Amino acid sequence: MTVLALEIGSSRFAASRIADDVSTDDIVQIPIPPSGAWDRCREILLEAAGGAEVTALGIASAGPIDMTAGVVAPAEVPEWRTGFGIVQAAQKLFPSAEVRLAVDGVCLAVAEQAYGATGGVMDALAITVSTRIGGGVMVGGFTVVGRTGNAGNVGHVLVPGFDDRCVCGGRGCLEAVASGTSVVRWAREQGWAGTSVPQLVEAARVGEDIPAAALGRAGTALGSAIASAAALLDIDLVVLGGSLAEAGPVLWKPLNEAVATHARLSFLPGLRVVPSQLGDVALLAGAGVLALSAQSA
Ligand SMILES: [Zn+2]
């Protein structure tokens, strides 16, 4: 029995063999290619499989997806923006495998529930904050996937006091303020000369005003959106993953202040926001849990 996980992330493709304890073996990863996306996925999947017959494959993808049709349409993969039938393609590659697809936020929620920060908690929200923002909801111990697989997409919750233009066509969405792409863009508009999230985080750490302000407004927006989502879903734990979640107090302080300001309902005082414990294997691990459950179903 060989179980694989595939991550269609916001900046990388990654594949790994999944052991019975859902640990990820050697991860094979590549930056998202400008073309030939499925061919490159195919290569890393075959490398991860190592010639073994694959019995289950879990796919974690940046959204949007259509879970019923087995289609992904992440903005980061130019040739897939109008939709790519990844489940069918994977099924053709591994004819004996059970293939499962879920959006990245759902995979983070599943992974954190299985062996991360929300283990044992029945009601939680998982948010990935990297190039883009994704989310996954767990209510009553069950993952909520929604009609098309995109439930929990907290990146397009509106945040008060912000009017930034969003890639979805709207304005004032959380993703337009707090994603890695958005904080870098905003900082550059204010005159900062850097180009990447790691540069921005480092500059904020050493006290540069513009990077600190960019992460500060991201933290405030995240805290506002989290308070709204917690009220909607009656949850008491939010786990934050992705590269921006590692930005430290410059992001977390305004985030927690915004949560304290807005989460005022009688059932929300215990609301906690914690960093993911799983680092960059979180999405693969979540996809692995899905694949293992498909295999045992
Ligand atoms: Zn939006």
Side-chain angles (χ1 to χ4, degrees):
M1 292 195 307
T2 300
V3 175
L4 294 188
L6 173 67
E7 174 187 329
I8 308 298
S10 52
S11 61
R12 70 172 186 176
F13 290 166
S16 175
R17 217 156 147 155
I18 300 292
D20 286 343
D21 62 354
V22 203
S23 59
T24 48
D25 290 342
D26 295 337
I27 296 174
V28 189
Q29 61 176 340
I30 53 170
I32 291 176
S35 62
W38 175 245
D39 287 342
R40 300 308 314 278
C41 271
R42 200 172 163 277
E43 285 167 17
I44 62 171
L45 281 167
L46 290 172
E47 188 177 336
E53 183 181 0
V54 176
T55 50
L57 168 67
I59 303 171
S61 178
I65 66 169
D66 184 332
M67 206 167 68
T68 311
V71 167
V72 298
E76 290 74 16
V77 186
E79 65 202 284
W80 290 357
R81 275 183 196 153
T82 54
F84 174 69
I86 197 164
V87 169
Q88 196 180 12
Q91 198 74 72
K92 204 170 157 191
L93 182 63
F94 303 121
S96 308
E98 291 281 345
V99 181
R100 291 287 183 276
L101 166 67
V103 79
D104 49 7
V106 166
C107 289
L108 178 63
V110 166
E112 293 291 343
Q113 177 71 3
Y115 63 151
T118 65
V121 173
M122 304 293 273
D123 303 283
L125 169 67
I127 304 177
T128 61
V129 192
S130 50
T131 307
R132 288 172 57 204
I133 293 181
V137 174
M138 187 161 288
V139 174
F142 293 98
T143 312
V144 179
V145 293
R147 188 173 47 85
T148 59
N150 294 289
N153 197 338
V154 69
H156 301 276
V157 165
L158 301 181
V159 282
F162 296 97
D163 191 37
D164 304 52
R165 190 178 291 279
C166 183
V167 288
C168 76
R171 297 189 84 101
C173 299
L174 175 62
E175 183 168 302
V177 182
S179 72
T181 307
S182 298
V183 292
V184 168
R185 186 195 62 229
W186 185 86
R188 288 180 60 80
E189 284 169 1
Q190 314 309 309
W192 180 64
T195 54
S196 72
V197 169
Q199 281 176 346
L200 184 120
V201 169
E202 185 52 34
R205 271 201 190 118
V206 298
E208 284 190 38
D209 290 344
I210 293 172
L215 290 172
R217 69 199 294 275
T220 299
L222 277 162
S224 300
I226 286 168
S228 298
L232 181 70
L233 298 166
D234 190 7
I235 54 171
D236 60 359
L237 182 61
V238 177
V239 58
L240 215 59
S243 54
L244 229 64
E246 294 162 12
V250 71
L251 178 94
W252 283 85
K253 187 165 179 285
L255 187 158
N256 284 318
E257 285 170 356
V259 169
T261 301
H262 297 295
R264 297 286 184 109
L265 291 165
S266 60
F267 56 91
L268 293 177
L271 176 60
R272 289 181 301 129
V273 188
V274 299
S276 166
Q277 298 173 355
L278 303 177
D280 69 353
V281 302
L283 301 185
L284 285 169
V289 173
L290 294 178
L292 284 166
S293 64
Q295 188 172 244
S296 60

